Amino acid sequence: MEWPSVREFLGIPAHLTGKDIAIAVIDGHFPPHPDITTNDRRYTYLVKTVSTDVKPLIFHAEKEPWRNSHGLMTAAAAAGSGSLSSGYYSGAAPEADLYLLETGAFTTVEETESKFVMALRWLLKNWRRYNIRAVVLTVAYTIDTGLLPWQVDPIKVHCEQLAKEGLLIIVASGNTKELTCSGPASSPSVLSIGGVIVPQHLHEMSPYHGCQGITFEGKRIPELLAPAENIILPSPFKSAEEFEKHYTAKFDNLPDGYARTEGTSYAAPIILGCAACIWQANPEWTASQVKTAMVSTAEYKAEWYEAEAGLVHVKAAAMYPVQSLTHTYNPQKLDDSTAARRERDMISNILSSYNETNSRVSTDKLKSLMIHSVSPKVRAAALLAASSEITYIELKDLLRESSSHIKMAVLYTLHHRKDLWNDSIHYVIDLCKDEDLNIQYCAIKLASTIGDSIFLKPLINGLLEDAVQLRVSIFGARCDALQLLTGITYELEPEFQDGQCWYSERSTESRVNMALKWQQYIEK
């Protein structure tokens, strides 16, 4: 079975390769694979952002074995050379210069936040020095799922700083249907990327099962689409057995060392590569102009209406009329009424000094707004700003609120206030079955952090419904929490294979079987 390359599928003109355009990819690890290292057509630099002496070093290829990693595939999707496929299965911009910002491994939300902030700070100091035009982040972490203001998230704060300075920030929106977004895609100034499924016949092209929704600031997720399933990327197999266990590789007629994969983690770097191609044709354009050109020329299909985003069209974007670029793309469909502007100004004022000692708004004023403001978003912002100072009695008035923004602000507050956990446990249990799946997900994550056995039964009771309803991220969060609470790990049956879609029948069967095992556990 044969599959098109990224460039062929998107119809990227042969002369647009990202030549002489520098782009950056942030990820945990980059192996010295020939597809992403320096060659005779471009330079690649490795930047270990957690080291004490952070300098870009020329990154040369080394002999296999190469470690198969998320970073290898994200970098290859953006600018892989396709060297092991005679150049065919290259990334979107095979001649772009690459800066690979390696954070090292990360396992917790806190560790992810710390290491990605270090990488973004390096960019803040150095992107102009090295003439880096754009960066992609594909991290999935869960401070929230887009329902809180960007000012409370250090990664989003740094993204906004970089975007304001003129760097194009591209972020994967996430791979599950039930959440608004995953990671920093909700940050107002970043370009959030969803996906389409690459078909064997173009007329059958369909949308990918990614995150979508409206953020706290009113931005719709995603804003632009790229290939997110049936993407051919480097996949070094360590053995024949590993090859045979791959979900698709043994059925495809692909060059050795390549396989189909999926995820907005690869759609987003494809957009990064597309941006490099557009800059090659229009080197004088700003980040805002490139973003405007890509979104304005994207191809829309009726069956993608729910996502309200179009597929990137590099040729059309590169030829976008310069006079049209005076009207820059604005992702937020803002209500321009006096009341709406006043609400936005109030929230901005409340959060302008977030995490600083001297806030512009007094704690007493924040507490008053938290209870008495007619705007749920203002109340949520006031709670976040006062979260270190409030008592349970003051918080209690908000526990009956129906607004998802307020509920998410309460969950965020509780995550950082262990002293409030005992009084709030039953509230968290209720939110684990909230009608808003974003709230369910983050409540389950908090239950996992609290670690009380009282959560066992509520967590298990929701598993089977999540499995049947294909709530992939919520099901996974429940299982993670149960493993932490009990120390028990059940294996998936049938086992998960690399390249397998989480929404496939095989995956659903595995989740149903897992749910039944946990039900047996609770019934003992």
Side-chain angles (χ1 to χ4, degrees), residues 150-170:
W150 63 268
Q151 291 93 331
V152 302
D153 183 336
I155 292 182
K156 293 175 190 173
V157 168
H158 284 79
C159 285
E160 289 300 307
Q161 289 176 327
L162 281 163
K164 185 177 181 179
E165 289 194 7
L167 190 68
L168 177 58
I169 316 292
I170 299 166

Side-chain angles (χ1 to χ4, degrees), residues 123-440:
L123 279 172
L124 278 166
K125 292 179 181 178
N126 294 287
W127 72 273
R128 286 191 179 89
R129 178 180 179 184
Y130 298 109
N131 200 27
I132 297 169
R133 299 292 193 102
V135 63
V136 68
L137 292 82
T138 60
V139 60
Y141 73 103
T142 51
I143 283 181
D144 83 305
T145 59
L147 301 188
L148 293 182
W150 63 268
Q151 291 93 331
V152 302
D153 183 336
I155 292 182
K156 293 175 190 173
V157 168
H158 284 79
C159 285
E160 289 300 307
Q161 289 176 327
L162 281 163
K164 185 177 181 179
E165 289 194 7
L167 190 68
L168 177 58
I169 316 292
I170 299 166
V171 180
S173 60
N175 303 332
T176 55
K177 301 175 183 178
E178 63 266 26
L179 302 181
T180 297
C181 74
S182 176
S186 61
S187 195
S189 302
V190 311
L191 183 60
S192 63
I193 308 303
V196 299
I197 299 172
V198 176
Q200 289 187 284
H201 306 288
L202 287 180
H203 66 276
E204 297 175 352
M205 188 162 42
S206 56
Y208 181 70
H209 49 76
C211 297
Q212 56 186 279
I214 305 295
T215 70
F216 183 92
E217 288 80 19
K219 182 171 87 166
R220 177 169 287 280
I221 304 286
E223 299 162 87
L224 189 63
L225 307 178
E229 188 172 326
N230 297 329
I231 315 167
I232 312 302
L233 293 173
S235 184
F237 296 108
K238 295 177 183 176
S239 64
E241 181 184 11
E242 190 175 86
F243 175 83
E244 286 296 322
K245 284 187 174 181
H246 192 277
Y247 193 61
T248 63
K250 56 183 174 289
F251 303 113
D252 292 338
N253 182 26
L254 296 173
D256 289 345
Y258 291 86
R260 272 189 287 154
T261 191
E262 67 161 282
T264 57
S265 282
Y266 313 118
I270 288 172
I271 294 296
L272 176 69
C274 290
C277 292
I278 295 164
W279 259 307
Q280 180 189 349
N282 305 278
E284 74 284 359
W285 282 6
T286 65
S288 178
Q289 289 172 325
V290 169
K291 184 193 295 189
T292 297
M294 286 195 290
V295 174
S296 299
T297 58
E299 295 182 303
Y300 290 79
K301 287 184 177 290
E303 56 267 35
W304 304 344
Y305 176 75
E306 191 175 355
E308 294 193 19
L311 178 66
V312 66
H313 191 315
V314 173
K315 183 178 180 180
M319 298 173 64
Y320 195 62
V322 175
Q323 61 269 25
S324 299
L325 292 173
T326 57
H327 305 289
T328 56
Y329 166 66
N330 183 357
Q332 300 167 56
K333 311 300 183 186
L334 299 179
D335 179 352
D336 201 37
S337 66
T338 301
R341 290 199 305 271
R342 187 180 297 120
E343 178 189 65
R344 291 195 294 272
D345 289 344
M346 175 65 76
I347 291 169
S348 179
N349 193 40
I350 289 170
L351 296 172
S352 61
S353 304
Y354 187 81
N355 275 338
E356 295 180 12
T357 304
N358 298 315
S359 174
R360 293 185 187 177
V361 184
S362 70
T363 301
D364 287 343
K365 177 65 173 177
L366 290 172
K367 291 180 178 180
S368 176
L369 288 170
M370 189 176 79
I371 302 301
H372 300 298
S373 174
V374 297
S375 163
K377 288 186 176 181
V378 169
R379 298 174 76 184
L383 169 58
L384 293 165
S387 60
S388 63
E389 304 290 335
I390 63 170
T391 65
Y392 177 73
I393 298 300
E394 293 166 329
L395 182 67
K396 194 174 180 180
D397 288 334
L398 297 177
L399 302 187
R400 296 184 292 273
E401 290 288 341
S402 60
S403 163
S404 290
H405 297 300
I406 292 177
K407 290 176 184 177
M408 193 67 83
V410 171
L411 288 171
Y412 180 88
T413 299
L414 292 175
H415 180 82
H416 293 86
R417 291 286 304 275
K418 293 183 180 181
D419 58 304
L420 301 177
W421 286 358
N422 286 339
D423 291 322
S424 307
I425 277 182
H426 289 284
Y427 174 73
V428 177
I429 289 173
D430 288 341
L431 292 190
C432 286
K433 52 182 184 289
D434 194 82
E435 61 182 13
D436 186 328
L437 299 178
N438 292 282
I439 299 300
Q440 271 197 42

